[in-house]
Amino acid sequence: MERRPGVPRLLREINDRAALELLLSSGPLTRGQIGEMTGLSKVTASQTLARLEDRGLVEVVGELAGGRGPNAALYAVVASSAYVAGLDVGPESVTTAVADIHGDIVAEVTVTPDGHEDPVAVVHSGVVKACRSAKVSLAKLRGVVIGTPGVVDPRSGDVRFSFDLPGWHEGIHEALARDLRREVVIENDVNLAAVAEYAGGAAREADDFVLVWVGRGLGLAVMLGGRLHRGRSGSAGEIGYLPVPGVPLAEDVRAIPGRLPSLAGGLQSLVSVEAVTELAETYGFTGSRQAECVAAAVKAGPEGEPLLDEIAARLALGVASVCVVLDPGLVVLGGDVSRAGGTALSSRVEEAVARICPIRPQVVPSEQTGNPVLRGAVLAALERAREEVFSS
């Protein structure tokens, strides 16, 4: 019989990975529980755990009292076996979170550009300060994912265009990787918010959904079959440019060096900060931010319903356009405005879409608390880090 020396090694790798993934999702577990849940024999489960202990990936964290006989040891993945950094980059601040391999945040730091226009310097400062706060050396980071507004080219990994971050341009991706001395991933911020929603939010049971982000800007993330759809150039989801009836088209949306493209016109002009705050004033609600106006309308009860109806009708134009093309079944509203509006706004959007669209998707508010972009960046970095650790 022909010998296949690679098979035993492959089986060991498969068993090791299965045990690690199980411990991360369901641990701590005993040797017997790991065997039962993976289908491994007691001997194989013991050998697997011994290998993982030797690699410094698994450790005993306690005991489980049983009936007769000694207590069973509880195993867990060593939290410090890998660390990752996730970043949420905006025009006014950069927030960096460092997490261990379990996904637990061990440090979170926010820095401001303070006049520095160089993205590399700002990101470097945020990552170094976060690592210092976490007492984790930069060399221990196994993954770095950065969320930014704008269009990210899925082929080069560079930001092709960001209205809010004009300093982010072609070449930044390579410069960041060179500065931090490791692979860096740049991803659209709304896409990362969708990753967080899919992992543990309103879309955790939906492989097909869209996330409509309504806040300082307007954006869309598309998840199909459990995978982000970015489009050929990374521009999928630029819903702010969507032409809508009764609204002028933008005169020139091209990004030309030395000149910012026009954002006037399209759906963005109906739900921009200025548009919503002006609309709110006509209904007697004021605030420095559009989210404050929406929150005030919700709190006002019946008096605030006309404003919520109008905002929902405007959002429905975009949601309906997306639904007749993709038919996602689920639409999640995210961002500050959506958070302020809650179910009072999402239910109105659902009704408004049903009136103008043959498809009636379920429209729900985001269930994410804290910073969903930051959480999505950490989750995306963890996926890469775990792949590296498990396969090493």
Side-chain angles (χ1 to χ4, degrees), residues 197-235:
E197 208 69 53
Y198 183 57
R204 56 186 171 272
E205 296 181 358
D207 285 341
D208 297 337
F209 74 95
V210 296
L211 171 69
V212 179
W213 186 268
V214 191
R216 182 173 48 83
L218 179 66
L220 175 81
V222 179
M223 188 79 76
L224 298 176
R227 297 173 63 88
L228 284 171
H229 177 72
R230 299 176 177 85
R232 181 177 181 275
S233 67
S235 298

Side-chain angles (χ1 to χ4, degrees), residues 332-346:
V332 180
L333 298 185
D336 291 341
V337 171
S338 302
R339 183 178 298 180
T343 55
L345 179 61
S346 64

Side-chain angles (χ1 to χ4, degrees), residues 19-30:
L20 285 168
E21 291 179 345
L22 181 61
L23 285 170
L24 282 172
S25 63
S26 306
L29 297 169
T30 66

